[in-house]
């Protein structure tokens, strides 16, 4: 009886998911992201060749031996795409995690404390936010140098103000609500109020911003690598492979730029669909306003 009840609830949940447009978008985006996540985790087992060793003739067109062709150095493009997912996701998740770890606590404290501390910190974050993201990332990456950690830190700096602004604005509007006043009257400490009463009410917005920033982080990382400021070659990286392939595009070696470009487009599309569907699911009024 219990198994039947669980199956019924699961089926009802799936019907609700596919009946709602936001649910379908989130599901499609999640499916795309899950595919790339599996590629990243099981890259040594899925890649047909070593991505940094010559596995065929240079500039080989797509064939049975090399589905996506080979590069100018004879590297298998498919293997580099699979291993490149690991690098891209590692940098994106690390960058967003660092940005959230900086922006969320500062936003909570700034919005709750207010006063001169809030004004000074807001001005500092607004100054960072006013810079074009890619240009600021290029400047920081040029100082720090190549490497997974350095690239992730350079990207994290440009996203920390986003979390700060979102959290700070919501905390400033929540701190005078009745449930917060009731917690103060019961003797709750400030950190307890922030952690138990305010933070749970702002987390839905954080989740949406996080998924959107992951898509931006993928593109920013690819842009840095394209400009030679990302991962050092011959490490598999989609941005570097795009930069390398565009040199030979006029020679009709189209596969060297097509497949890395498609990898970037599809993973960004997955993050975008997932964040858009999640946003409409968590904030139904957004979808109603657009319609």
């Amino acid at each position: 009886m219990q198994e039947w009840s669980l199956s019924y609830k699961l089926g009802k949940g799936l019907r609700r998911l596919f009946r709602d447009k936001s649910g379908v978008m989130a599901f499609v985006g999640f499916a795309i992201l899950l595919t790339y996540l599996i590629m990243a985790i099981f890259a040594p087992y899925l890649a047909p060749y070593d991505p940094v060793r010559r596995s065929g003739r240079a500039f080989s067109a797509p064939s049975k031996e090399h589905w996506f062709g080979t590069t100018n150095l004879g590297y298998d493009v498919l293997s580099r795409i699979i291993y490149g997912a690991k690098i891209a996701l590692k940098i994106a998740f690390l960058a967003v995690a660092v940005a959230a770890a900086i922006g969320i606590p500062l936003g909570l404290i700034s919005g709750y404390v207010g006063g001169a501390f809030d004004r000074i910190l807001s001005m500092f974050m607004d100054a960072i936010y006013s810079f074009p993201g890619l240009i600021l990332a290029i400047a920081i990456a040029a100082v720090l140098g190549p490497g997974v950690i350095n690239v992730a830190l350079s990207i994290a700096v440009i996203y920390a103000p986003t979390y700060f602004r979102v959290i700070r604005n919501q905390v400033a509007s929540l701190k005078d609500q009745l449930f917060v006043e009731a917690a103060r009257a019961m003797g709750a400490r400030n950190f307890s109020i922030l952690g138990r009463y305010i933070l749970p009410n702002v987390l839905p917005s954080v989740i949406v911003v996080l998924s959107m920033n992951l898509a931006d982080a993928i593109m920013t990382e690819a842009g840095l690598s394209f400009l030679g400021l990302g991962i050092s070659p011959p490490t598999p990286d989609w941005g570097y492979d795009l930069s390398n392939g565009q040199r030979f595009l006029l020679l009709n070696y189209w596969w060297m730029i097509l497949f890395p470009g498609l990898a970037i487009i599809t993973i960004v599309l997955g993050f975008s669909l997932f964040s858009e569907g999640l946003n409409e699911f968590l904030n139904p009024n957004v979808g109603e306003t657009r319609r």
Side-chain angles (χ1 to χ4, degrees):
M1 187 69 179
Q2 186 176 2
E3 293 179 358
W4 180 86
S5 176
L6 181 61
S7 300
Y8 173 77
K9 291 180 179 179
L10 180 60
K12 185 177 179 180
L14 289 174
R15 286 195 298 271
R16 181 183 176 186
L17 174 67
F18 286 102
R19 187 171 60 246
D20 190 1
K21 184 182 73 172
S22 63
V24 174
M25 291 172 59
F27 179 80
V28 173
F30 177 76
I32 295 174
L33 297 180
L34 182 61
T35 300
Y36 278 100
L37 188 61
I38 292 174
M39 287 170 53
I41 295 174
F42 299 102
Y45 306 100
L46 296 176
Y49 301 97
D50 189 325
V52 295
R53 288 188 177 181
R54 187 182 184 94
S55 59
R57 292 185 300 119
F59 301 117
S60 294
S63 62
K64 292 181 179 180
E65 292 76 21
H66 301 279
W67 290 2
F68 289 2
T70 62
T71 68
N72 58 307
L73 297 177
Y75 299 154
D76 182 62
V77 175
L78 175 59
S79 299
R80 294 186 62 82
I81 295 295
I82 294 174
Y83 273 89
K86 184 176 182 179
I87 296 295
L89 289 174
K90 181 187 295 185
I91 292 176
F93 280 113
L94 182 58
V96 170
V98 172
I102 296 172
I104 292 176
L106 290 180
L108 284 170
I109 298 173
S110 181
Y112 188 78
V113 173
F117 176 78
D118 177 48
R119 289 193 294 271
I120 294 173
L121 194 55
S122 295
M123 289 176 59
F124 177 73
M125 289 295 180
D126 288 342
I128 298 177
Y129 191 80
S130 64
F131 276 89
L134 183 58
I135 295 178
L136 182 58
I138 290 173
I140 298 173
V143 173
L144 296 179
V148 172
I149 302 297
N150 291 343
V151 173
L153 290 177
S154 64
I155 297 174
V157 171
I158 67 177
Y159 292 138
T162 302
Y163 292 95
F164 172 83
R165 288 159 61 96
V166 171
I167 296 298
R168 182 261 173 198
N169 293 338
Q170 293 199 17
V171 172
S173 63
L174 287 174
K175 67 179 182 180
D176 295 325
Q177 296 293 321
L178 291 177
F179 68 93
V180 177
E181 294 292 344
R184 289 198 191 100
M186 293 171 59
R189 297 183 178 181
N190 290 330
F191 282 102
S192 177
I193 293 173
L194 285 172
R196 295 182 59 185
Y197 300 98
I198 294 181
L199 181 60
N201 286 280
V202 300
L203 277 181
S205 298
V206 172
I207 295 173
V208 173
V209 173
L210 187 146
S211 58
M212 294 175 64
N213 281 350
L214 285 170
D216 289 338
I218 294 288
M219 292 189 294
T220 303
E221 186 277 328
L224 291 175
S225 295
F226 185 88
L227 296 173
L229 298 172
I231 306 301
S232 300
T235 304
D237 184 90
W238 297 339
Y240 168 76
D241 287 346
L242 274 177
S243 176
N244 184 49
Q246 61 91 24
R247 297 185 299 151
F248 306 102
L249 185 59
L250 295 179
L251 299 177
N252 202 29
Y253 300 135
W254 51 267
W255 56 88
M256 292 179 59
I257 194 172
L258 173 65
F259 296 113
L262 287 177
I264 297 173
I265 291 173
T266 51
I267 196 170
V268 170
L269 178 64
F271 278 119
S272 300
L273 289 175
F274 182 73
S275 62
E276 185 72 18
L278 189 63
N279 187 31
E280 291 191 14
F281 181 77
L282 295 175
N283 305 288
N285 293 332
V286 174
E288 293 176 0
T289 301
R290 291 177 180 175
R291 286 191 289 269

